Amino acid sequence: FTPFVTEEIFQLLKESKLIDSKDKFLASSQWPTVKTQNLTSLKKIESDFKAVQELITSIRDLRATYKLPYSDKLDAAITTKKHKNLFQEQELVVEALTKVRIQVLPSKPVEGDEYIREHASEFDIYIKIGKRRMLEQEKSITKEKENLEQYISTIEKKLANKKFVENAPTEVVKQEQQKLDDAQSKLKKL
């Protein structure tokens, strides 16, 4: 399949005038050269791709952080000046990759207490989860924090016990220290 795929890419690059080649097929052509006048359009394409990628990654991170099931279709408001048209054009792509319907707004949503917010470099994301779900999320996070704090306390007591540290194999002590570090890191993220 590779020759067919590369031939297709070659034809698409020729059609978009990103390469300058008078040859009909890739197999018989010289090595392509990039037209310098198209470099600015390439940089814009790259910049647009990075913005959409950052939007999708931020939405996925919010879903993971707040444990919002991917089976649920959610609504989100995006506030941006720089990427307004781009995000409106890519709404269906974002929805397909995140299961979140986005709407680009000029300012933040009015009902702020029903949204979870993420600030990215050039835009803000507000995912609507509703008051009931917001309270459930807060309770869940509070419970998770309490459990982590209790777990950290247990490990700290174990590592503070001189008999345990002296008698346990070095590898076991290192594992316990790693568990403590991981739990403290997770607690900071909450």
Side-chain angles (χ1 to χ4, degrees):
F1 290 106
T2 303
F4 301 110
V5 172
T6 53
E7 186 64 46
E8 182 66 22
I9 292 170
F10 177 73
Q11 297 302 326
L12 290 171
L13 290 172
K14 270 179 47 178
E15 287 174 22
S16 63
K17 297 184 181 8
L18 292 173
I19 60 171
D20 187 20
S21 178
K22 295 181 181 15
D23 298 310
K24 190 171 183 177
F25 299 106
L26 175 62
S28 63
S29 71
Q30 295 292 319
W31 192 260
T33 58
V34 176
K35 290 184 174 182
T36 55
Q37 68 222 33
N38 289 332
L39 286 179
T40 55
S41 68
L42 286 175
K43 289 181 181 177
K44 179 170 179 4
I45 291 169
E46 185 178 333
S47 171
D48 288 352
F49 180 82
K50 285 183 180 179
V52 172
Q53 183 180 32
E54 184 178 12
L55 174 63
I56 290 168
T57 301
S58 298
I59 291 172
R60 287 178 173 174
D61 288 348
L62 271 173
R63 284 193 92 127
T65 301
Y66 289 93
K67 296 183 174 118
L68 302 172
Y70 282 90
S71 58
D72 293 354
K73 279 237 177 189
L74 302 173
D75 293 310
I78 312 297
T79 58
T80 182
K81 291 180 182 174
K82 183 175 181 180
H83 301 294
K84 181 182 178 207
N85 293 335
L86 172 67
F87 289 167
Q88 286 174 338
E89 291 169 5
Q90 299 299 324
E91 283 179 0
L92 294 176
V93 172
V94 173
E95 183 178 345
L97 295 173
T98 62
K99 296 203 177 185
V100 174
R101 290 178 295 270
I102 67 168
Q103 183 179 12
V104 182
L105 300 176
S107 62
K108 70 179 187 173
V110 178
E111 318 94 20
D113 59 337
E114 293 185 18
Y115 291 85
I116 52 176
R117 179 180 176 259
E118 175 77 17
H119 175 71
S121 60
E122 298 173 338
F123 54 87
D124 290 320
I125 303 168
Y126 298 88
I127 295 182
K128 186 173 185 171
I129 62 171
K131 290 180 181 178
R132 190 184 103 256
R133 186 180 249 171
M134 187 70 127
L135 291 173
E136 290 171 3
Q137 290 294 328
E138 288 173 5
K139 286 180 185 177
S140 173
I141 290 172
T142 302
K143 185 176 180 180
E144 190 172 349
K145 277 184 180 179
E146 290 171 356
N147 290 342
L148 269 173
E149 288 168 350
Q150 185 178 9
Y151 180 68
I152 288 170
S153 174
T154 303
I155 294 175
E156 285 174 337
K157 286 177 186 174
K158 189 184 287 187
L159 290 172
N161 183 345
K162 289 184 181 183
K163 287 186 179 180
F164 171 76
V165 174
E166 291 172 0
N167 296 330
T170 312
E171 191 61 36
V172 171
V173 175
K174 286 181 182 177
Q175 286 175 348
E176 290 299 315
Q177 185 61 46
Q178 184 61 45
K179 287 180 187 177
L180 177 63
D181 293 343
D182 292 344
Q184 287 173 335
S185 172
K186 189 174 182 180
L187 183 62
K188 284 179 185 176
K189 290 180 182 176
L190 293 177

